[in-house]
Amino acid sequence: AIALRPRLLIADEPTTALDVTTQAQILALLKRLSAEDGMGLMFITHDLAVAADRSDQIVVMRGGLVQEQGATRAVLAAPASDYTRTLLADAPSLARVVERVAPDASASTARTDALVEVTALTQEFRRPGRSPLVAVDDVSFSLKRGTTVALVGESGSGKSTVANMVLNLLDPTEGKIIFDGVDMSTLGRKELFAFRRRVQPIFQNPYGSLDPMYSIFRIIEEPLRVHGMGSKKERAARVAELLDLVALPRSAMRRYPNELSGG
């Protein structure tokens, strides 16, 4: 996009899938090109932090209509529209997270046993004529019931590979994964089928993980049908209910993944 040194660059969510360090490099490059070459930059983003840090003017849109526009500093300091105020209130703030008081341990749930235990997990990928690529090297952690564990790192650091092994989509080269007291390496076909119902992933790229030939209805209904949950009528009602829960119109069930936005 920048090879021809354009006068105007329209960047539509250019850093969404990037880790924060790579994102910072890309944003710094665009800022430098804008300053050096006088390039105009239209930055389309849902990330308020990026918009606040990198824009001179900001236009807030909702439902195809402009809710508010003006100098970035003025809009963020004193938003005029209710929608902009809602966006700012809902935007995660690292400062707020760091300052948040830790929950009282005595008020936590009584169940503290581990749901997932990962021990000395290693994953190597063979490369013909070269030494194996070590994607994951001696990783151990535990996840207690009702808690959250975050795997954080740059792109290529092995996070998704760990997830794929916990999902039993990849066999570890070494190490052990215990889920709900059961060693994952001992699961037979029947046990693995039951496991699939209990452990579900949300993949990073929706267009890469949703079947482009399936309608939205079929995509949502398929796991219910595969696991024998409900009648055909009950499954259809459940699909409609789930669309309502995420504020998608029920007409969306007749569409295909490429007819919806990434968000």
Side-chain angles (χ1 to χ4, degrees), residues 102-247:
D104 183 358
S106 62
S108 63
T109 58
R111 303 196 67 177
T112 58
D113 53 317
L115 178 65
V116 179
E117 294 180 89
V118 172
T119 306
L121 207 60
T122 299
Q123 181 61 254
E124 296 182 354
F125 295 108
R126 293 182 179 180
R127 300 185 293 179
R130 293 188 291 174
S131 59
L133 172 66
V134 181
V136 175
D137 188 9
D138 193 22
V139 170
S140 299
F141 63 88
S142 65
L143 171 60
K144 291 182 171 56
R145 300 174 192 276
T147 66
T148 302
V149 167
L151 301 184
V152 182
E154 296 184 356
S155 296
S157 61
K159 306 182 299 297
S160 294
T161 303
V162 170
N164 285 334
M165 286 187 282
V166 174
L167 286 164
N168 210 323
L169 299 178
L170 278 177
D171 292 328
T173 305
E174 295 179 15
K176 182 179 293 187
I177 301 170
I178 305 295
F179 172 73
D180 204 11
V182 177
D183 187 340
M184 295 297 297
S185 64
T186 66
L187 294 183
R189 186 173 180 177
K190 184 177 180 180
E191 292 82 8
L192 184 58
F193 183 76
F195 168 80
R196 294 288 180 225
R197 179 175 171 179
R198 300 184 63 200
V199 179
Q200 287 290 307
I202 299 175
F203 291 108
Q204 181 177 4
N205 177 15
Y207 295 117
S209 56
L210 301 179
D211 192 321
M213 303 303 292
Y214 279 18
S215 67
I216 301 304
F217 174 84
R218 187 175 179 184
I219 289 171
I220 300 175
E221 189 259 357
E222 183 182 35
L224 305 176
R225 176 171 46 81
V226 167
H227 287 279
M229 299 174 66
S231 65
K232 184 176 181 179
K233 184 177 180 179
E234 290 170 336
R235 291 196 298 270
R238 179 61 173 158
V239 171
E241 179 187 2
L242 291 171
L243 289 172
D244 290 341
L245 286 173
V246 296

Side-chain angles (χ1 to χ4, degrees), residues 24-173:
Q25 293 172 355
I26 296 295
L27 293 175
L29 172 61
L30 295 180
K31 182 178 181 180
R32 178 170 62 82
L33 290 176
S34 180
E36 292 178 355
D37 300 343
M39 178 183 73
L41 177 59
M42 182 186 296
F43 201 96
I44 300 169
T45 183
H46 64 263
D47 191 329
L48 276 176
V50 171
D53 186 51
R54 298 293 173 170
S55 67
D56 302 298
Q57 302 283 323
I58 191 168
V59 179
V60 180
M61 295 187 65
R62 183 187 189 189
L65 299 174
V66 172
Q67 302 295 305
E68 186 169 354
Q69 60 182 307
T72 298
R73 184 183 296 272
V75 169
L76 297 181
S81 76
D82 291 339
Y83 180 65
T84 305
R85 285 192 287 270
T86 299
L87 289 179
L88 292 173
D90 291 343
S93 166
L94 185 58
R96 284 208 310 267
V97 172
V98 172
E99 293 171 0
R100 188 171 58 198
V101 177
D104 183 358
S106 62
S108 63
T109 58
R111 303 196 67 177
T112 58
D113 53 317
L115 178 65
V116 179
E117 294 180 89
V118 172
T119 306
L121 207 60
T122 299
Q123 181 61 254
E124 296 182 354
F125 295 108
R126 293 182 179 180
R127 300 185 293 179
R130 293 188 291 174
S131 59
L133 172 66
V134 181
V136 175
D137 188 9
D138 193 22
V139 170
S140 299
F141 63 88
S142 65
L143 171 60
K144 291 182 171 56
R145 300 174 192 276
T147 66
T148 302
V149 167
L151 301 184
V152 182
E154 296 184 356
S155 296
S157 61
K159 306 182 299 297
S160 294
T161 303
V162 170
N164 285 334
M165 286 187 282
V166 174
L167 286 164
N168 210 323
L169 299 178
L170 278 177
D171 292 328
T173 305

